[in-house]
Amino acid sequence: MSTIHATPGARTALTTTALNALASAAYVSAGTIDVSAQEPLDLIIEVEATPGTVAGNRQLMVFARISMDGTHFSTGPVSGSSTNEEPNLRFLGVLPLPTSAVLQRAMFSVAAALGFVPPHIQIVIKNDSGAALAASGHAVHHTSYVGTTA
């Protein structure tokens, strides 16, 4: 009987400057990931950010909007600061920002958060740190884990 292994793909950057100086309480889309050709078992999202002078909740909230076709995504905010549609976003996790001006990094499993890996996923980040993020030094990466047999 064959054994299935989850083999990691390459760590790939989402090319974005959207997090640079992101205002407190604001949402931003960090980009869209297309894994429709891979059909991965899991997709790991890595977020790194440097906060300004933190206060309040001291965190970034990481969400997803999902699509089966790459065109029609689930609803929810991708910009601005209105929280009216936040419940429509799919929650991936929180990146704690406990210390002002110190880079923080966290990874989030899409399969663990959603129960499946959609073919297309848009990463949405809300700055809930109490201050604008630093002017630069932020990144979002992703790594697919595909099934292989041995």
Side-chain angles (χ1 to χ4, degrees):
M1 178 175 227
S2 297
T3 303
I4 298 175
H5 299 278
T7 304
R11 180 177 182 251
T12 305
L14 282 177
T15 305
T16 183
T17 58
L19 294 172
N20 293 350
L22 180 63
S24 181
Y27 297 89
V28 70
S29 170
T32 301
I33 303 164
D34 178 354
V35 293
S36 59
Q38 298 171 333
E39 299 180 10
L41 300 172
D42 200 358
L43 179 66
I44 304 300
I45 306 299
E46 179 183 352
V47 178
E48 55 187 53
T50 303
T53 304
V54 294
N57 292 332
R58 300 176 183 221
Q59 64 186 7
L60 288 185
M61 298 174 72
V62 183
F63 299 98
R65 292 187 347 141
I66 60 176
S67 172
M68 300 309 282
D69 63 6
T71 301
H72 302 94
F73 283 85
S74 56
T75 56
V78 293
S79 63
S81 59
S82 174
T83 60
N84 291 342
E85 293 186 17
E86 183 178 302
N88 295 332
L89 294 171
R90 304 297 298 266
F91 184 69
L92 296 182
V94 168
L95 170 60
L97 300 173
T99 308
S100 300
V102 175
L103 177 74
Q104 302 293 331
R105 181 179 296 114
M107 294 176 215
F108 309 96
S109 165
V110 171
L114 305 183
F116 70 107
V117 178
H120 305 272
I121 183 168
Q122 184 179 44
I123 304 304
V124 177
I125 297 176
K126 179 184 181 184
N127 179 1
D128 192 28
S129 71
L133 295 182
S136 63
H138 318 288
V140 178
H141 296 87
H142 61 91
T143 303
S144 294
Y145 282 76
V146 296
T148 58
T149 56

